[in-house]
Amino acid sequence: YDLSSDPGQKQDIADSAPPELLTELRQAYEEWWELVSEQFDRDISFALPMEPQQGDRMLLTTHDIRNEAGDAVWNQGEVRAGKAVAGYWAVDVRKAGRYTIELRRWPAETGYALSAGIDGDDVPWNREDIDEKEEHFYSGGEALDLRWAQLSIGGHDYQAELEQEGSFASFTVQLELGEDQLFAAFYGRGGAVVAPYYIY
């Protein structure tokens, strides 16, 4: 594709491209694939704290959750729909000490309650430029009946009941140096398990 004139990659120009360019691009792709495929089954840990820091706060999302199914919540449409996913985040504690970990369903800047739904639009967006079948990325949001939260890290399990109008569950933990797995989940009525989409 010629990305300069076709950013949507709709016009395949391989048949009209110079053969040596196609060979070069295919070889570069194969080298890249060999490099990344070796890592498919490995956990690539997030450093705690992450560098460079923005203040003392960092963010993990369910885009990077790990589980046997390889399932993740990786876009805002799935967050708005309340897609259930469970798993852990691979972390590497590079600085031992006390950490405050917040589990959230919605991004911190929204201030929405954990169980809150969204009726209609909550962000400005241009309907004329968005296909109707993609509107769920920008509007609405399912309410979730979440009751309590769990965090497991450093060989310890923590639980907290959720406040009805609270926007996050917070845990203060002592972490030692080294690689670990951070498991976090919200539990709802009827046994529903939903990973927090945002962990600060």
Side-chain angles (χ1 to χ4, degrees):
Y1 304 99
D2 180 357
L3 296 180
S4 64
S5 62
D6 180 23
Q9 300 177 40
K10 296 178 181 177
Q11 181 64 43
D12 183 349
I13 60 169
D15 291 339
S16 61
E20 61 275 8
L21 176 59
L22 288 178
T23 300
E24 181 183 330
L25 290 172
R26 287 186 176 123
Q27 180 61 37
Y29 176 83
E30 292 302 326
E31 290 171 7
W32 171 82
W33 185 256
E34 187 175 331
L35 174 70
V36 299
S37 62
E38 182 272 327
Q39 304 175 46
F40 284 169
D41 294 327
R42 282 192 313 178
D43 283 341
I44 307 299
S45 300
F46 288 93
L48 299 181
M50 188 179 289
E51 298 288 347
Q53 298 178 46
Q54 289 186 329
D56 290 325
R57 196 163 194 171
M58 65 176 285
L59 172 65
L60 301 174
T61 70
T62 45
H63 184 273
D64 297 299
I65 200 168
R66 303 284 186 251
N67 53 46
E68 288 295 320
D71 193 19
V73 172
W74 64 276
N75 65 58
Q76 196 59 37
E78 293 177 333
V79 171
R80 289 176 179 274
K83 178 181 174 181
V85 66
Y88 67 91
W89 289 260
V91 296
D92 183 7
V93 180
R94 304 260 177 101
K95 182 177 179 183
R98 290 171 62 83
Y99 287 76
T100 299
I101 299 175
E102 292 178 5
L103 310 181
R104 294 178 177 265
R105 187 259 169 108
W106 299 108
E109 60 270 20
T110 68
Y112 296 152
L114 283 166
S115 294
I118 299 170
D119 187 22
D121 296 349
D122 64 325
V123 294
W125 60 288
N126 188 346
R127 288 183 188 279
E128 295 170 10
D129 294 333
I130 304 299
D131 189 291
E132 188 175 308
K133 64 181 177 253
E134 295 184 353
E135 289 184 3
H136 67 283
F137 289 103
Y138 305 94
S139 184
E142 292 295 318
L144 299 177
D145 187 8
L146 304 175
R147 300 304 175 107
W148 61 283
Q150 177 183 3
L151 171 72
S152 298
I153 191 169
H156 299 283
D157 292 322
Y158 307 89
Q159 291 88 27
E161 282 192 52
L162 300 176
E163 298 176 19
Q164 188 171 1
E165 296 302 317
S167 58
F168 61 91
S170 181
F171 301 92
T172 300
V173 300
Q174 181 70 31
L175 300 181
E176 302 303 326
L177 293 175
E179 299 219 353
D180 203 347
Q181 293 180 351
L182 183 156
F183 172 84
F186 294 125
Y187 296 87
R189 188 182 298 251
V193 181
V194 180
Y197 304 131
Y198 302 90
I199 301 179
Y200 293 85

